[in-house]
Amino acid sequence: MGKKYSILLVEDDASLGYLLTEYLRMKDFDIIWEKEPAKVIDLIQNNRFDLAILDVMMVRVDGFTLAANISKEYPSLPFIFLTARSLKVDVLKGFSLGALDYLKKPIDEEELVVRILSLLDRLKRSSGHIDENSIFNIGMYRLNSSTQELFFESKVVHLTSRESELLKYLASHPNELCEHKGILETLWGNNDYFNRKSLNVFVTHLRKYLAQDPTIKIENVHGRGFILKTNLGEK
Amino acid sequence: MGKKYSILLVEDDASLGYLLTEYLRMKDFDIIWEKEPAKVIDLIQNNRFDLAILDVMMVRVDGFTLAANISKEYPSLPFIFLTARSLKVDVLKGFSLGALDYLKKPIDEEELVVRILSLLDRLKRSSGHIDENSIFNIGMYRLNSSTQELFFESKVVHLTSRESELLKYLASHPNELCEHKGILETLWGNNDYFNRKSLNVFVTHLRKYLAQDPTIKIENVHGRGFILKTNLGEK
DNA sequence: AAAAAGGATTAATGAAAAGTTAATTAGATG
DNA sequence: CATCTAATTAACTTTTCATTAATCCTTTTT
C-alpha cells in the first residue's frame, strides 16, 4: 500500500512528546521524536522527513528561531507549529515564517492527525502524483476507476483501461476545459497525431456509455479539448 | 502587481458576514458574500473563485451538506470551514469532506487572512497553471474565455477561439482604445493587411452576439482601433 | 465634391478538426 | 497456436472555423 509518512517531532516536554509520538506511531506514521533542538539540523541532514512538527516554546531555543534555521537550510521541508502560546502575534509570525499550520494546545491528537494528513496528501498530490480517489459520481452514473466499472441504475458496464482513465480524467475536472495536451500527456505520455486520433475514438465510446443521462455530456471545444458538463438543464 | 484572489464567502449571519467582507476587501481580496446557501452553486457556475469560505451552521442548510454539493460539482474549488461548533467530530468531518482548514469562532480576522494567504499561495505554486482570470462581465453578458462560452440571461453561445480571444482582449481593456497593432500582434502574432481584414470580420461577429445589451458597444476609432464601451446611457 | 482609404457586412472557400465505424495489430490467455 | 480482447490505425463523413473575396457604407483628404 501507500508508503508511510515520515515525521520529525521537536518537543522538549517529555510527557507531551511521548504522548504524540505514541499516538502518531499508532496512526502509522514513521515518527522521530527529538527533545533537543540543537540536534535537529543534524537529524534532517541524515533522514528524509515529509514534515516537521515544532513546538514553539521550548526551554533552550524557541521554535521560531529553529524554524527559520531549518527553512534556511532545507526550504523544501514543510513544517507546522504546535504551541501553548496562542497570542495572535505568534500565529501571524508562525505563518510568516512559512508554517503550513499553527495548532494551539491543548492538542487534540485526532485533529492533529487529520490536519497532518490533509496537508501531506495535498502536498503529495500537487507534487505530480495522481489522486487516488477512485469513485466518481457523474450525473446518474458512478465510476469506480479502480475496478473500471461504470454503474447506471442497476446495470454495470466494464470499461477498458483507456476508457476508464479518460473518464476519470474528465470527471476529475467536471465543467472545466480539459485540453488535448493535458489528456494526451497524462494518458498516453505524449501528444502526437495518432494518439489524438485514438482520443477521439475513446470519446466516442464514452459518449455512447453516457448517453442515457441527458444532464451530462462530453462537449468538444474546437481545437482546444473536451469538457465533461454536468447539471445540464438545471436551474 | 499580482492578481487579486477571488473569494466566495457563504455566511448567513449578517453581522459576521459584513465584518469579514469588509475586512477581506480591505485586505485586497475580491470577495463575494452570499447569505443564501441555495444560490451558491449558481454563483460558482457564473464566477471564478480561488477559494470558498463556508459557515458550518447556517439556518437553512448546513455547511457540510453545502460543501459536499460543491465538491461534487466543482471538486477543484478549494474551501475552508468557519464555525462556532468546535466539536471534535465536526473538525474531523470537515477535513474528511476535503476542507483545507477549519477555523473556530471567534474568528480573528488577521489570522484568517494569513491562513487564507498561506493556503492560496501554496495552491498557486503547486497547481502550475494559475487559472488565468477567465471570467469577464461585459454588460449583461458574461464571457468564460476558458470554455469559450458567452452567457446572456439563461442562454449560452459557443464562441470560436478567435472570437473568444478577441472579446477577452477587448474586455480586459474596457473603455480604452485597443489599437489594431496591439490586437493583431497579440492574437495573430503579426500585423498585415489580411489579418486586419480578418479582425474586422470578428468584430462584426462579436457585435452581433452582443447586440442584445444596448449599454455596451464595440466602437471603431477610425484608423486606430476599437473600444469596448460599457455603461452606455448611464448618468 | 470627388477620390481615396478605412470599415462593415455577408457570403464563399478550403483546410483542419472532430465524429464514426470498421479493420488491423498486438498482447494476453489458455 | 488458436482465441479473445483491447488499443491503434485506417478510411471516410461531417462539422467547424479562419481566411479570403466581394460588395457596400463611412470617414478623411484633397
Side-chain angles (χ1 to χ4, degrees), chain B residues 33-47:
Chain B
W33 168 26
E34 176 55 59
K35 300 182 196 71
E36 184 51 70
K39 294 187 183 156
V40 165
I41 292 286
D42 215 48
L43 261 175
I44 296 174
Q45 204 153 32
N46 297 327
N47 295 81

Side-chain angles (χ1 to χ4, degrees), chain A residues 177-181 196 220-226, chain B residues 148 161:
Chain A
L177 175 65
C178 299
E179 304 203 30
H180 294 129
K181 191 165 171 295
R196 190 114 142 191
N220 172 258
V221 179
H222 196 91
R224 313 268 320 271
F226 295 93
Chain B
Q148 302 183 178
S161 308

Side-chain angles (χ1 to χ4, degrees), chain A residues 127-143:
Chain A
S127 69
H129 274 287
I130 323 144
D131 75 83
E132 310 294 324
N133 210 354
S134 58
I135 305 286
F136 298 87
N137 291 307
I138 304 160
M140 295 156 71
Y141 292 85
R142 172 182 277 104
L143 168 70

Side-chain angles (χ1 to χ4, degrees), chain A residues 3-10 20-21 24-25 27-34 43-44 47-54 77-80 112-113 115-117 119-120:
Chain A
K3 213 174 56 56
K4 283 184 182 183
Y5 285 119
S6 163
I7 294 184
L8 169 64
L9 171 66
V10 186
L20 290 180
T21 304
L24 291 172
R25 191 161 288 148
K27 289 294 180 181
D28 216 35
F29 292 95
D30 251 338
I31 176 152
I32 291 184
W33 168 27
E34 177 54 60
L43 259 178
I44 296 175
N47 295 78
R48 192 200 61 81
F49 294 108
D50 294 301
L51 178 73
I53 303 175
L54 313 174
L77 177 61
F79 60 91
I80 68 181
L112 175 63
V113 168
R115 283 184 179 269
I116 290 175
L117 284 176
L119 277 175
L120 291 180

